[in-house]
């Protein structure tokens, strides 16, 4: 990270009565970064974004966007922020163009520049040909794209996207993720919330993992997986294994544990990637007949599991 | 406050409203249907044109002499009612039963000794049975009373002239008495046809209208206009709640828009829609229902503006307080119908008990209807509605302040 961070959150707390929706959360997002907030339902992701977008006042703590305090100078802060809400927030009976024109006027853009900007954004989200159609005639994915365009009209410093891919087909989802990458490539800083860990891994430079209102880990993917001392698993199905070979494998410094299975063995490893060629060479050289070899790479799921003892995808299945 | 943003939000809401065709139906067509129906009901005339309606009166004439028949002839001659005669020796009991059972709304019974008692110069009572559960056409009772009054005048004049003769020249002979009473009756009849003193009603200050306004529409047109401006206005509260639901309000709050601007825009567009609706209904009433909206356009405009402002304020207040569009609509419906009933839009407050009238003046409808009555029926001009306008503006201000306070998102 270099320069002043675009988003700076310090000890943010939000209580709803007894419930602590956001509990002493701190993080920073650098200019040009895609930062992911990953967490299960009710983790406090939307609440954090709501505070940052000046909809919900925090109970305590501070949040700055582009150096502006979102609590004390919310009107200025709001002009720096683009938000793509979790729900489609558009007027269904109006056309895509009319919706975008309206939202642009809310940011004080003069009609002349606005018309050009709307055209530009319609072509970026590839909906120029449907500009005059009513939103309620759009498919879910098309609505999502207009929903994103509406957050970009005023060329914000930072774009907040709150689970923009919930409930849409894989093709559209892919389109939207690509769109976000493109926007980021042009220099836009992005704060992205999701409970899909593949999205966080695919998209984000850094990830903050939230659970029950707390930020339980922040870092790049590699930093996070390393921080838990983790680990991959290499599962080998093979004939002709013997005890000497197993002892040899167990003695390797990168291997933490070796276990025989019915038709082969599994190795728990710290840093699996560079270990694999060594293992394959040794086994093949000893006349072992390898049927299959399965490498499980450590990922954010393993991190979440390690930190909470729960799996991330088990939880959001309940919702959908 | 940023005027362009307020304008954009207001214009957008009007477009959203107009994109719903049934909304237009409710705003414009329904009030006209209701005005027509209740206007016809209040004018008491079902058929078209000016043909007077003839009511029927059930009669049992038990009189053994001829005076009962003369009375009925006189009633028939008055040309307002038809007589349904009951015959037979028990006609009086039959009349009573028919009215008791509700088969007839009213019946007149002339007693057996009617002629006899009149001849003996004694007073005599006609019985007018009426069933309180049936709508009782006042016009039948009035027709009977009018005829009886005239006959009484005849009778009185006859007795007066006979006793005058007695005082001056001694008791008249039988022939003289007959002569005297006949002459005096002819005189009284002539006088009744053209009494010496009459009251001529003239309207001054304004050109006489070719057609007099229909009294039914004269009440129903302003009442229904006030009712639908209120009903539709309050129902529009749900649009603000829908904005919360569909998160467009959240998006507005994310944009650099002040809450006060959002509330101001919501008040403004409701005010504009309500005003357009009200003037559409006023215009339609004047052109089609021939309603006379009074002498002062300015007074009418002020009453209308103050009332619409109060409705707009209440609408935004309900919208700010509600979390569910359906519930906001239900609340609006109940509230506006109650305010119509209590405010004298469905029946005049004058006929209600005092406590009812007091309640009617705790809500805007009571004051607005008062003002309308002052302009349309009592012939008042601007000065006659200033208090009502001020009270309505007070309501508008109070509701709007409460709406700003209640407006929040979460
Ligand atoms: N307005 C509110 N009033 C009371 N509780 C609330 C409110 N908004 C959120 N919460 C609670 O705060 C907690 C965090 O909610 P939040 O919406 O931030 O979670 P999330 O991480 O966005 O979840 P999801 O993945 O389901 O969107 C939840 O327990 C939620 O019920
Ligand atoms: Mg959420």
């Amino acid at each position: 990270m270099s320069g002043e961070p675009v988003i700076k959150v310090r000890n943010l707390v939000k209580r709803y009565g007894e419930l602590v929706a956001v509990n002493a959360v701190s993080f920073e997002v650098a200019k040009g970064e895609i930062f992911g907030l990953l967490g299960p339902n009710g983790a406090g992701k939307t609440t954090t974004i709501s505070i940052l977008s000046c909809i919900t006042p925090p109970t305590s703590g501070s949040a700055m966007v582009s150096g502006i305090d979102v609590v004390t100078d919310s009107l200025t802060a709001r002009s720096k922020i683009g938000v793509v809400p979790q729900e489609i927030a558009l007027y269904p009976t109006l056309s895509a163009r009319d919706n975008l024109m309206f939202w642009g006027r809310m940011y004080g853009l003069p009609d002349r520049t606005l018309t050009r900007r709307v055209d530009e954004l319609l072509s970026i989200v590839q909906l120029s040909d449907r500009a005059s159609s009513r939103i309620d005639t759009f498919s879910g994915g098309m609505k999502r794209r207009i929903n994103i365009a509406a957050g970009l009209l005023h060329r914000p410093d930072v774009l907040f996207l709150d689970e923009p891919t919930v409930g849409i087909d894989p093709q559209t989802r892919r389109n939207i993720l690509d769109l976000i990458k493109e926007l980021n490539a042009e220099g836009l800083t992005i704060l992205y919330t999701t409970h899909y860990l593949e999205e966080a891994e695919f998209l984000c430079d850094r990830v903050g993992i939230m659970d029950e209102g707390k930020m339980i880990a922040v870092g790049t993917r590699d930093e996070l997986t390393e921080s838990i001392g983790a680990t991959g698993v290499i599962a080998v199905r093979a004939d002709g294994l013997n005890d000497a070979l197993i002892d040899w494998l167990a003695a390797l410094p990168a291997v933490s544990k070796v276990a025989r299975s019915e038709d082969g063995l599994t190795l728990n490893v710290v840093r699996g990637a560079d270990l694999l060629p060594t293992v394959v060479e040794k086994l093949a050289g000893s006349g072992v007949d390898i049927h299959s070899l399965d490498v499980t790479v450590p990922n954010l799921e393993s991190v979440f599991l390690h930190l909470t003892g729960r799996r991330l995808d088990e939880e959001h299945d309940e919702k959908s | 406050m940023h005027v362009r943003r307020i304008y954009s939000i207001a214009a957008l809401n009007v477009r959203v409203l107009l994109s719903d065709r049934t909304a237009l139906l409710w705003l414009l067509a329904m009030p006209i249907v209701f005005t027509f129906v209740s206007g016809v009901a209040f004018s008491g005339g079902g058929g078209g044109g000016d043909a007077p309606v003839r009511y029927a009166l059930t009669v049992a004439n038990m009189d053994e002499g001829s005076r009962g028949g003369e009375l009925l002839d006189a009633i028939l001659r008055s040309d307002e009612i038809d007589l349904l005669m009951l015959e037979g020796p028990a006609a009086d009991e039959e009349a009573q039963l028919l009215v008791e059972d509700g088969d007839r709304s009213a019946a007149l019974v002339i007693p057996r000794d009617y002629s006899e008692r009149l001849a003996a110069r004694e007073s005599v009572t006609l019985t007018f049975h009426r069933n309180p559960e049936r709508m009782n056409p006042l016009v039948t009772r009035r027709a009977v009373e009018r005829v009886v009054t005239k006959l009484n005048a005849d009778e009185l004049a006859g007795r007066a002239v006979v006793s005058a003769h007695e005082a001056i020249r001694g008791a008249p002979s039988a022939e003289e008495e007959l002569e005297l009473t006949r002459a005096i009756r002819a005189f009284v009849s002539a006088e009744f046809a053209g009494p010496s003193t009459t009251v001529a009603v003239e309207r001054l200050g304004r050109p006489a209208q070719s057609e007099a306004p229909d009294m039914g529409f004269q009440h129903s047109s302003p009442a229904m206009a006030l009712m639908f401006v209120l009903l539709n206005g309050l129902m529009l509260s749900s649009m603000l709640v829908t904005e919360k639901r569909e998160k467009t309000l959240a998006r507005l709050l994310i944009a650099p828009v002040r809450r006060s601007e959002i509330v101001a825009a919501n008040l403004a567009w409701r005010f504009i829609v309500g005003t357009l609706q009200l003037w559409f209904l006023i215009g339609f009433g004047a052109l089609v229902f021939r309603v006379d909206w009074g002498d002062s356009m300015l007074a009418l405009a002020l009453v209308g503006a103050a009332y619409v402002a109060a409705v707009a304020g209440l609408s935004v207040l309900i919208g700010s307080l509600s979390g569910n569009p359906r519930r906001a609509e239900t609340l609006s419906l109940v509230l506006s119908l109650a305010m119509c009933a209590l405010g004298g839009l469905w029946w005049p407050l004058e006929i209600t008990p005092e406590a009812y009238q007091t309640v009617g003046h705790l809500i805007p409808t009571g004051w607005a209807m008062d003002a309308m009555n002052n302009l349309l029926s009592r012939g008042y001009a601007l000065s006659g509605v200033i208090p009502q306008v001020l009270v309505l503006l007070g309501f508008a201000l109070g509701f709007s302040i409460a709406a700003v306070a209640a407006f929040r998102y979460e």
Side-chain angles (χ1 to χ4, degrees), chain B residues 153-301:
Chain B
D154 281 1
E155 196 59 35
L156 187 70
R159 288 179 200 181
V161 79
V162 168
S163 63
H165 192 278
E166 271 172 2
I168 302 165
R169 303 225 184 118
S173 69
E175 290 104 82
E176 280 173 332
E177 187 176 332
L178 207 65
E179 195 78 10
L180 278 171
T181 46
R182 197 179 297 141
I184 200 72
R185 278 193 193 148
F187 176 77
V188 168
S189 292
E191 278 302 295
F192 256 85
S196 51
T197 307
T198 55
V199 178
V201 180
E202 277 182 52
R203 297 189 77 145
L204 296 177
R206 231 153 49 98
Q209 286 198 319
S210 51
E211 271 178 84
D214 183 316
M215 290 324 286
F217 289 111
Q218 199 65 11
H219 175 82
S220 81
S221 218
M224 291 298 123
L226 292 181
M227 168 171 161
F228 276 88
V229 165
L230 177 70
L231 183 65
N232 296 139
L234 294 195
M235 291 295 242
L236 289 180
S237 63
S238 71
M239 271 178 63
L240 186 56
V241 190
T242 305
E243 284 227 69
K244 290 186 204 173
R245 262 293 162 90
E246 299 193 336
K247 306 292 174 184
T248 44
L249 190 61
R251 182 163 242 163
L252 267 180
L253 291 167
I254 288 165
V257 180
R258 288 173 207 277
R259 277 155 208 250
S260 55
E261 290 170 351
I262 300 175
V263 176
N266 272 284
L267 288 170
W269 77 261
R270 281 172 174 79
F271 180 79
I272 291 164
V273 168
T275 301
L276 291 176
Q277 184 193 18
L278 180 65
W279 282 95
F280 170 80
L281 296 176
I282 288 175
F284 199 93
L287 293 175
V288 178
F289 299 137
R290 306 219 157 264
V291 174
D292 174 2
W293 290 93
D295 297 319
S296 170
M297 274 291 131
L298 176 65
L300 186 63

Side-chain angles (χ1 to χ4, degrees), chain A residues 16 55 75 78 83 85 87-94 98 102-103 105-107 109-111 147 150-151, chain B residues 2 4-5 8-9 12 15-16 19 243 246-259 409-410:
Chain A
Y16 291 112
I55 304 181
L75 221 51
R78 280 185 265 166
V83 181
E87 293 88 359
I88 308 288
L90 300 168
Y91 294 98
T93 58
L94 301 187
D98 288 343
F102 173 72
W103 294 116
R105 289 187 190 114
M106 291 304 104
Y107 283 90
L109 302 180
D111 275 3
N147 206 33
Chain B
H2 196 299
R4 182 168 170 259
R5 271 201 295 264
S8 298
I9 298 172
L12 175 109
R15 290 189 56 188
V16 169
S19 66
E243 284 227 69
E246 299 193 336
K247 306 292 174 184
T248 44
L249 190 61
R251 182 163 242 163
L252 267 180
L253 291 167
I254 288 165
V257 180
R258 288 173 207 277
R259 277 155 208 250
Y409 175 83
E410 251 182 86

Side-chain angles (χ1 to χ4, degrees), chain A residues 115-318:
Chain A
T115 311
R116 249 182 289 127
R117 181 70 178 146
V118 167
D119 286 337
E120 192 183 343
L121 283 170
L122 281 169
S123 97
I124 289 176
V125 300
Q126 296 171 13
L127 282 169
S128 301
D129 52 332
R130 296 293 302 270
S132 324
S133 308
R134 280 164 58 136
I135 292 293
D136 55 10
T137 66
F138 280 24
S139 73
M142 290 157 79
K143 286 181 195 167
R144 293 241 162 236
R145 281 184 274 158
I146 298 293
N147 206 33
I148 293 174
L152 294 167
L153 288 155
H154 59 297
R155 301 181 192 276
D157 291 353
V158 53
L159 184 67
F160 301 161
L161 294 117
D162 193 1
E163 308 202 28
T165 59
V166 166
I168 57 177
D169 62 278
Q171 174 66 41
T172 314
R173 183 183 191 188
R174 187 60 206 229
N175 276 344
I176 286 175
L177 295 183
D178 287 344
L179 172 64
I180 294 165
K181 282 236 168 187
E182 270 169 45
L183 293 168
N184 176 248
E186 283 162 25
L188 185 63
T189 308
I190 287 170
L191 177 62
Y192 187 98
T193 83
T194 182
H195 54 225
Y196 297 123
L197 61 102
E198 325 83 74
E199 280 188 1
E201 291 194 342
F202 170 78
L203 210 55
C204 302
D205 301 316
R206 288 192 314 129
V207 174
I209 299 180
M210 287 189 77
D211 187 42
E212 294 174 348
K214 292 203 187 78
M215 186 71 93
I216 54 177
V218 184
T220 63
R221 203 203 96 156
D222 287 348
E223 285 167 1
L224 289 171
T225 48
E226 278 170 34
S227 71
I228 60 165
T231 74
V233 176
I234 300 175
V236 185
R237 283 177 59 226
D239 290 329
L241 292 167
N242 56 49
D243 287 349
L245 266 175
I246 286 171
D247 288 344
W248 183 86
L249 287 168
L252 288 171
V255 173
S256 55
K257 190 179 161 205
V258 182
R260 286 299 292 258
S261 60
E262 238 175 77
D263 53 358
L265 53 80
T266 55
L267 303 175
N268 282 17
V269 293
V270 191
R271 307 253 160 101
D274 38 351
L275 182 70
L276 202 52
T278 323
V279 174
V280 173
E281 205 173 305
K282 177 73 180 176
L283 292 180
S286 316
V288 173
D289 187 8
I290 302 176
H291 300 311
S292 76
L293 206 123
D294 216 18
V295 183
T296 313
V297 191
N299 60 14
L300 294 174
E301 177 72 67
S302 340
V303 177
F304 189 78
L305 183 65
H306 177 87
L307 291 174
T308 67
R310 285 174 287 125
R311 289 176 61 82
L312 195 55
D313 47 4
E314 275 168 9
E315 310 206 1
H316 62 71
D317 282 348
E318 289 164 24

Side-chain angles (χ1 to χ4, degrees), chain A residues 40-47 86-87 162-163 193 195 319:
Chain A
N41 291 145
K45 307 181 295 292
T46 300
T47 308
Q86 193 163 358
E87 293 88 359
D162 193 1
E163 308 202 28
T193 83
H195 54 225
K319 177 168 149 187

